[in-house]
Amino acid sequence: MNEMEKPTRVVVIPSPGFSHVASILEFAKRIVKLPNGIHVTLLIPTIANNGSPSEASKAILQSLPSTINYTFLPPIHDQELPQEAPIALTAQIAVSRSVPSIRHALMSLTSTSRLVAIVADLFGIDALILAKEMNLLSFVYCPSTAMTLSFCFFLPKLDDTVIGEFKEISEPVRIPGCVPVPGRDLPNPVQDRNSELYRNFLQRCKQLRFADGILVNSFREIEPGPIRELTEEGRGYPMVYPVGPIIQNGSGNETKFDQCLTWLDNHVPNSVIYVCFGSGGTLSQDQLNELAMGLELSGKKFLWVIRAPSESANASYLSGNNNNGGDPLRFLPSGFLDRTKKQGLVVPLWAPQAQILNHHAIGGFLTHCGWNSVLEGVMNGVPLIAWPLFAEQKMSAIFLSEDLKVALRVKANENGLVEREEVACVIRRLMEDEEYREIRRRMQSLKNVATESLQEEGSQNKILAQFAVHLMKN
């Protein structure tokens, strides 16, 4: 095959973790639809003894168009990873350890394709060394907010100017272009500056400036401040492409979960609160009990996607919806299912979230503030209850509740527990009070501009076209 016959190909490298794989895959689907005839190969790092891919992951991968193919890289074994390391650090190191396998895969692809670029997940930035090595363009895909990206660029300066822990700063941190954030609500990786996690995160933030471009899953209408800051000439940033909103339109296995939609069909509009902590969020047993009793106490209809409890808030992150704790329903308070059988529906592990949020019966969404979930809420105009668990979710909760004003945030007690009375109170506020109408109005406005951005002449296609031009110059 001569060079003219070879398809133009972009190699995409996610980090382990269903939410990161899902988001970057949806991005890949967008770029293969561009008129440039771009193909995509997904090289997926894996971790041994981490369970097989979840049903949702398999369904997404099996539904890919012919212009996207994927390969699971040889697994990284436990002895190659630090023991009891935070999941974010584990994911990053797994990608770093996979660089030899990625190099081998790239060399194989050169015989059949004209490689032009590598797009790596934010946790997979170490793989971009191969782009320089092979004279390819290098891009970072940020599946989170533009606010998070702005913070990443700002962190080295913050590190140089602040003494002590950020959570002890008396004044909120002013991230360029963003609403001020209390130090305690900055992302989890920066909460202990003496940790290896912090040092790795800081190094990753410094590496961002060496990429040829950064793709962020956001759009100007939802984050005008940080996007203006990131795209303004003279700031010294790489080219930033706000390619959002990128969300899943369904994973292909929704028919297994018709019970959710059938149950919702029997309820009046805006009457049900949907409760889900994403593909990896978990609650402690005490917190699960308080949430259950709070839902019951609220008196409101609910649809709750439940996972077995854990003391780690992101225990299921790397394994997606695989459940190592047995049937999660057995962890519910005694008699809860019987007492609430006319009030709510509890679904183990997974539910068709995109379809649920689009259902007329849904009046609110209690979410961990993962950006994929938030965007799905926005695209369906559903008011939010913000219950952040890990990563940058506390920062996102500040953005949603204090900047956009489309969410109410739960308040924890001095021990970090959100008590049942608080759960019931915030649900009633969202579903009954005057502020609900204001939140719904603001969320509907966001839905409208987000929908417009996805139209043929919308901002997403224009930004993706600019990205494609950048690609084809290589």
Side-chain angles (χ1 to χ4, degrees):
M1 182 182 293
N2 63 49
E3 287 298 313
M4 296 297 292
E5 294 174 330
K6 291 180 179 179
T8 300
R9 187 171 300 276
V10 174
V11 173
V12 173
I13 303 170
S15 60
F18 172 72
S19 61
H20 281 236
V21 174
S23 183
I24 207 167
L25 250 181
E26 291 298 327
F27 164 72
K29 289 179 183 178
R30 303 299 195 281
I31 62 174
V32 297
K33 290 180 179 178
L34 294 170
N36 308 71
I38 296 169
H39 291 228
V40 168
T41 289
L42 197 74
L43 301 179
I44 307 174
T46 59
I47 299 173
N49 303 320
N50 198 45
S52 60
S54 68
E55 290 300 316
S57 300
K58 291 176 183 176
I60 292 172
L61 292 169
Q62 290 166 2
S63 66
L64 292 175
S66 60
T67 45
I68 302 176
N69 55 47
Y70 66 92
T71 298
F72 285 105
L73 297 171
I76 303 303
H77 294 275
D78 291 345
Q79 59 266 32
E80 300 177 70
L81 298 168
Q83 296 301 306
E84 299 182 3
I87 284 176
L89 183 57
T90 299
Q92 181 188 347
I93 293 174
V95 177
S96 299
R97 294 283 191 271
S98 297
V99 165
S101 298
I102 296 170
R103 180 184 288 109
H104 182 266
L106 291 173
M107 296 303 295
S108 297
L109 286 169
T110 57
S111 63
T112 58
S113 302
R114 187 175 78 87
L115 300 185
V116 293
I118 296 176
V119 178
D121 178 87
L122 195 58
F123 286 165
I125 198 167
D126 286 347
L128 293 183
I129 189 174
L130 299 174
K132 185 175 182 180
E133 191 179 294
M134 300 183 67
N135 197 29
L136 306 175
L137 292 172
S138 61
F139 295 91
V140 177
Y141 179 77
C142 176
S144 186
T145 57
M147 183 182 193
T148 299
L149 182 58
S150 185
F151 173 73
C152 288
F153 280 122
F154 181 60
L155 180 60
K157 180 179 178 181
L158 195 66
D159 182 72
D160 286 339
T161 55
V162 173
I163 298 172
E165 296 293 350
F166 299 138
K167 60 189 173 187
E168 296 169 356
I169 302 174
S170 58
E171 293 294 320
V173 176
R174 297 189 174 274
I175 303 166
C178 304
V179 63
V181 179
R184 64 181 180 276
D185 285 331
L186 293 175
N188 280 27
V190 307
Q191 291 299 328
D192 179 1
R193 295 178 72 184
N194 292 315
S195 68
E196 185 181 359
L197 177 61
Y198 176 77
R199 291 189 293 274
N200 275 270
F201 186 80
L202 177 62
Q203 180 61 27
R204 201 168 351 124
C205 291
K206 291 177 178 178
Q207 287 175 291
L208 283 174
R209 290 184 180 270
F210 299 103
D212 291 304
I214 300 177
L215 308 135
V216 60
N217 188 11
S218 191
F219 54 107
R220 288 184 184 274
E221 291 81 1
I222 196 171
E223 293 192 274
I227 289 178
R228 188 184 310 116
E229 168 71 24
L230 291 164
T231 55
E232 189 173 308
E233 288 187 19
R235 295 290 189 184
Y237 303 138
M239 182 70 101
V240 173
Y241 297 93
V243 294
I246 291 173
I247 63 169
Q248 289 178 251
N249 295 316
S251 65
N253 62 347
E254 286 78 7
T255 54
K256 294 182 181 180
F257 294 89
D258 282 344
Q259 60 161 333
C260 298
L261 303 179
T262 301
W263 185 83
L264 288 171
D265 287 341
N266 295 320
H267 293 83
V268 299
N270 304 324
S271 63
V272 177
I273 183 84
Y274 172 58
V275 181
C276 182
F277 293 94
S279 60
T282 46
L283 304 177
S284 67
Q285 180 66 71
D286 287 345
Q287 187 60 85
L288 188 147
N289 291 342
E290 291 298 310
L291 173 57
M293 301 309 292
L295 288 169
E296 183 178 355
L297 187 61
S298 75
K300 299 300 178 184
K301 303 289 186 179
F302 64 86
L303 196 168
W304 179 12
V305 182
I306 188 174
R307 190 173 288 109
S310 171
E311 292 303 315
S312 172
N314 55 2
S316 296
Y317 177 77
L318 290 177
S319 57
N321 292 302
N322 294 331
N323 188 49
N324 298 321
D327 178 9
L329 299 183
R330 69 188 177 91
F331 297 98
L332 288 165
S334 178
F336 173 79
L337 290 175
D338 286 336
R339 294 194 304 273
T340 61
K341 60 186 177 183
K342 294 184 179 179
Q343 181 187 353
L345 176 65
V346 184
V347 181
L349 303 179
W350 190 88
Q353 181 161 293
Q355 286 70 27
I356 288 171
L357 290 172
N358 190 44
H359 198 283
H360 64 80
I362 296 297
F365 179 16
L366 193 160
T367 173
H368 66 314
C369 299
W371 193 233
N372 290 344
S373 290
V374 169
L375 286 178
E376 288 178 359
V378 167
M379 292 304 300
N380 290 286
V382 180
L384 306 173
I385 293 175
W387 189 322
L389 295 180
F390 59 92
E392 81 287 9
Q393 292 163 11
K394 289 181 181 178
M395 196 163 70
S396 295
I398 293 283
F399 165 59
L400 294 166
S401 60
E402 298 185 16
D403 190 355
L404 290 181
K405 295 181 169 57
V406 294
L408 301 178
R409 185 175 177 181
V410 297
K411 296 177 182 177
N413 65 18
E414 63 276 10
N415 297 316
L417 196 69
V418 181
E419 297 175 342
R420 63 191 68 181
E421 294 80 8
E422 168 67 7
V423 174
C425 177
V426 76
I427 290 173
R428 290 187 190 125
R429 281 175 60 200
L430 189 75
M431 305 291 278
E432 294 176 354
D433 290 0
E434 179 63 32
E435 62 186 324
Y436 171 70
R437 282 184 278 276
E438 284 300 304
I439 289 174
R440 176 166 284 279
R441 179 186 61 77
R442 285 190 286 268
M443 191 58 108
Q444 188 62 46
S445 296
L446 275 183
K447 174 185 176 180
N448 292 339
V449 296
T451 301
E452 288 173 10
S453 74
L454 296 178
Q455 301 305 310
E456 187 173 348
E457 296 300 318
S459 61
Q460 186 182 81
N461 277 346
K462 291 177 181 177
I463 296 293
L464 287 172
Q466 292 172 15
F467 170 63
V469 169
H470 194 165
L471 286 177
M472 303 309 286
K473 286 181 179 178
N474 195 34

